[in-house]
Amino acid sequence: MGIEKLVGNAKVIADVCLQFGDTGKGKVSGLLTSEWADITARGTGGDNAGHTEVVDGVRRVSHVLPASIFYDGAGKYSVLGQGMVINLQSLAREMEEIAKAGLSHGNLRISDNAHLILPHHIDLDSKNTSQANGGIGSTGKGIGPAYAEKIARVGVKLRHLYDPESLQEILTRTIRHNFPSMPDRFVNYMVGGYLADIRKDILPIAESIRGKVIDAGSQLRSWIREGKKVCLEGAQGTDLSIEHGTYPFVTSSDCTTNGLASGVGIPASSIDLVLGVVKFPFMSRVGGGPFPTEIGGVEMEKYCAKNEGNRLRDELKRARVSYQESPQGIVYNHNDVQILWMLNQRDGSTQNTGLRLKANEYGATTGRPRRVGWTDAVAARHASQVNGSPQKLVFTKVDCLSGADEFKIAYAYRLPSGSTTEEFPTDPELLRKVEPVYTTYPGYAMTGREREYDQLPKSLRKAMQDLSDFVGQPIGMVSVGADREANIFV
Ligand code: IMO
Ligand code: MG
């Protein structure tokens, strides 16, 4: 039995990450779309996301669009919900790439109520959040400033672009908000400049997508009433949620099932099944902020913050691992003896780099080296609870740790007072001071060609079961390789 075993009778499924993002939501939604869903919708974030899908060895990455866009030709709908912040220039670029690859985007629908990321948001974002200057290390895509204007009720929505008068009025409000003591004539001057830029670079895109712009919430609710099968593709991860993450080291949307439902315009009660995606048995974080189980600790956080000089090519060169450049990116042997040797060193810096190389943990959006560490069950349980039931856990990238001598999972934190807790404190100051209490498991070897649960190594199965018991949700699927077909349904 295949995907039916995972989805059961569900009609609306949310695909969300129980960690800090980059867990394989793109693979899961691609799989759901290709085999099950009629409609796949995004409701949060924007082009800060990097969702990768590999089909027959071909790797495709989407940022603004859901991974479902690759199935447009098969009649599947892709929807960008009103909770997103959309950079129309990024969207146009992605649509162009789709067309160049000989694929279609005729079934893309975009909410007229989605907010826009405008050029000044990107300027503000890169100035304020640089990680090297102690900031959170955002993706630099303008997400925070766009959501800030939305919440301050001065944001620009997609529908405003089709109404020149309201656009001028809204832009005036936006400038007044950003520069409260600026005299009117300067405000008007700035609005003129913004309008000219928008007319030149953004309005032509808005015109070209006009036929796809709809009241997406209403359409989705109607599709759900008709019994259509819907996949909600989450972006980022619960630990990055503005509501439930390690604030202020978070993104600016609620990337949990509640935020996702709200962001596509449906009640959370419409969701029949939550797929909680967990990278396993290791995890990653990009950007600043606490990460209790990080291998190598704060030193490696600093190392990854200086991403220039520490990208994939640099780390391969330093490790003396050979590689080739290809249109699909850098190709190298993840099981190179040097990488395996590094993975099994006990000094944090070498092991951290070894794990990153082994699992190819470099940002799909920014190319930054991702911070890596052991699975944090305390954080995963918190995330799982926030995302609700019924829920199934989806373990991803389990093949990546093949060849490690051992791995660890943190089921508790030791607090500065000396006592231990199994509760996840979202306070970043406290999180920086906790010490994970680990259970160590023996390492394992696997090929990635396993297709039955019983074929998986015993130690991996034990660890997945332990995590599932601790979190209190069943295992739904294990992804044993990047390719869309490399799955075991449990
Ligand atoms: P996907 O969808 C991992 C991180 C950034 C930064 C913080 C805020 O691929 O899982 P932002 O640009 O959103 O204001 O940055 O959030 N971040 C992600 N980390 N995966 C993502 O998306 C992320 N999107 C944002 O690195 O720390
Ligand atoms: Mg990603």
Side-chain angles (χ1 to χ4, degrees):
M1 207 166 14
I3 192 120
E4 328 68 83
K5 195 167 174 186
L6 179 70
V7 301
N9 296 326
K11 287 284 177 145
V12 181
I13 297 184
D15 160 28
V16 292
C17 160
L18 302 187
Q19 296 169 325
F20 291 106
D22 299 324
T23 40
K25 297 175 295 293
K27 167 168 173 171
V28 173
S29 83
L31 175 71
L32 286 175
T33 310
S34 71
E35 307 218 351
W36 175 80
D38 302 305
I39 297 124
T40 297
R42 270 192 60 184
T44 55
D47 54 340
N48 48 349
H51 293 178
T52 308
E53 242 221 307
V54 183
V55 183
D56 298 331
V58 180
R59 183 171 179 268
R60 293 182 179 133
V61 183
S62 53
H63 300 283
V64 191
L65 295 167
S68 53
I69 197 69
F70 306 122
Y71 304 94
D72 185 286
K76 311 275 184 166
Y77 281 89
S78 297
V79 177
L80 305 184
Q82 97 287 336
M84 290 183 72
V85 283
I86 301 177
N87 178 331
L88 286 188
Q89 286 162 299
S90 304
L91 174 67
R93 258 194 308 276
E94 260 181 65
M95 287 169 63
E96 240 172 70
E97 279 165 26
I98 296 280
K100 254 195 241 153
L103 300 166
S104 67
H105 46 63
N107 286 341
L108 173 65
R109 298 291 179 268
I110 309 165
S111 168
D112 59 346
N113 270 319
H115 279 249
L116 298 180
I117 296 179
L118 296 171
H120 74 281
H121 296 137
I122 296 169
D123 290 345
L124 286 169
D125 198 13
S126 39
K127 277 192 195 110
N128 295 344
T129 66
S130 143
Q131 202 180 345
N133 299 331
I136 65 165
S138 78
T139 58
K141 302 288 181 186
I143 305 292
Y147 274 121
E149 285 177 10
K150 171 176 174 168
I151 298 302
R153 298 170 295 204
V154 296
V156 182
K157 290 185 171 198
L158 179 53
R159 69 176 156 78
H160 294 141
L161 293 183
Y162 303 110
D163 175 359
E165 263 173 48
S166 86
L167 179 61
Q168 178 149 10
E169 198 183 307
I170 298 276
L171 279 175
T172 308
R173 246 191 277 166
T174 307
I175 307 282
R176 275 200 216 292
H177 168 80
N178 287 326
F179 306 97
S181 47
M182 190 184 267
D184 275 356
R185 60 198 164 94
F186 288 127
V187 170
N188 294 338
Y189 176 75
M190 279 187 83
V191 170
Y194 272 34
L195 269 175
D197 287 348
I198 290 174
R199 277 196 197 108
K200 179 163 87 49
D201 299 324
I202 296 174
L203 282 186
I205 302 172
E207 266 327 303
S208 73
I209 60 168
R210 201 170 185 144
K212 301 179 189 297
V213 178
I214 60 165
D215 177 347
S218 165
Q219 176 65 72
L220 209 59
R221 291 190 296 275
S222 143
W223 273 327
I224 291 174
R225 280 196 304 276
E226 288 165 23
K228 294 268 195 283
K229 291 174 278 192
V230 178
C231 163
L232 304 181
E233 180 181 300
Q236 291 75 54
T238 305
D239 297 335
L240 289 173
S241 158
I242 188 92
E243 301 288 346
H244 305 286
T246 57
Y247 187 93
F249 300 97
V250 291
T251 190
S252 299
S253 61
D254 178 15
C255 18
T256 66
T257 47
N258 284 323
L260 186 48
S262 175
V264 297
I266 65 169
S269 58
S270 302
I271 297 173
D272 303 311
L273 176 66
V274 177
L275 297 180
V277 188
V278 177
K279 188 148 65 182
F280 194 80
F282 66 101
M283 59 189 284
S284 68
R285 172 165 204 163
V286 200
F291 181 2
T293 57
E294 183 163 25
I295 296 170
V298 82
E299 284 311 309
M300 291 316 288
E301 178 180 2
K302 283 191 199 139
Y303 168 92
C304 289
K306 282 202 229 94
N307 66 76
E308 289 313 329
N310 293 336
R311 288 174 185 248
L312 175 57
R313 196 177 285 102
D314 310 306
E315 292 200 321
L316 284 168
K317 275 187 191 152
R318 281 200 293 271
R320 297 182 199 284
V321 174
S322 60
Y323 62 89
Q324 278 113 42
E325 311 269 355
S326 89
Q328 291 277 310
I330 296 173
V331 179
Y332 65 101
N333 175 11
H334 296 199
N335 291 311
D336 183 283
V337 283
Q338 178 66 11
I339 294 178
L340 285 172
W341 179 83
M342 291 170 78
L343 175 66
N344 286 317
Q345 294 311 296
R346 292 294 173 264
D347 82 277
S349 140
T350 311
Q351 189 173 34
N352 184 303
T353 309
L355 176 50
R356 186 166 33 259
L357 285 169
K358 182 77 171 67
N360 197 12
E361 290 292 344
Y362 299 83
T365 299
T366 57
R368 290 185 286 180
R370 293 182 185 144
R371 300 161 61 191
V372 291
W374 300 118
T375 302
D376 186 336
V378 179
R381 181 163 67 180
H382 168 260
S384 171
Q385 288 173 353
V386 165
N387 282 287
S389 293
Q391 184 180 131
K392 291 183 180 177
L393 301 178
V394 172
F395 290 106
T396 59
K397 292 193 88 166
V398 297
D399 54 309
C400 292
L401 222 65
S402 171
D405 292 343
E406 60 176 36
F407 63 90
K408 301 184 208 180
I409 299 181
Y411 291 103
Y413 295 152
R414 182 156 295 109
L415 296 166
S417 63
S419 62
T420 57
T421 181
E422 291 182 356
E423 295 300 316
F424 182 67
T426 53
D427 169 5
E429 290 310 311
L430 182 54
L431 263 181
R432 281 202 178 278
K433 292 184 194 132
V434 303
E435 214 183 289
V437 182
Y438 287 114
T439 297
T440 302
Y441 295 81
Y444 56 85
M446 58 184 288
T447 60
R449 288 188 293 278
E450 297 80 359
R451 292 294 178 272
E452 299 289 334
Y453 194 69
D454 292 348
Q455 294 170 343
L456 291 175
K458 205 166 140 203
S459 162
L460 173 63
R461 275 184 285 149
K462 162 103 175 78
M464 290 192 293
Q465 194 55 54
D466 286 353
L467 189 84
S468 160
D469 292 344
F470 183 80
V471 164
Q473 298 290 0
I475 306 170
M477 182 181 126
V478 186
S479 164
V480 296
D483 210 85
R484 194 186 65 203
E485 310 300 329
N487 307 305
I488 295 172
F489 300 101
V490 183

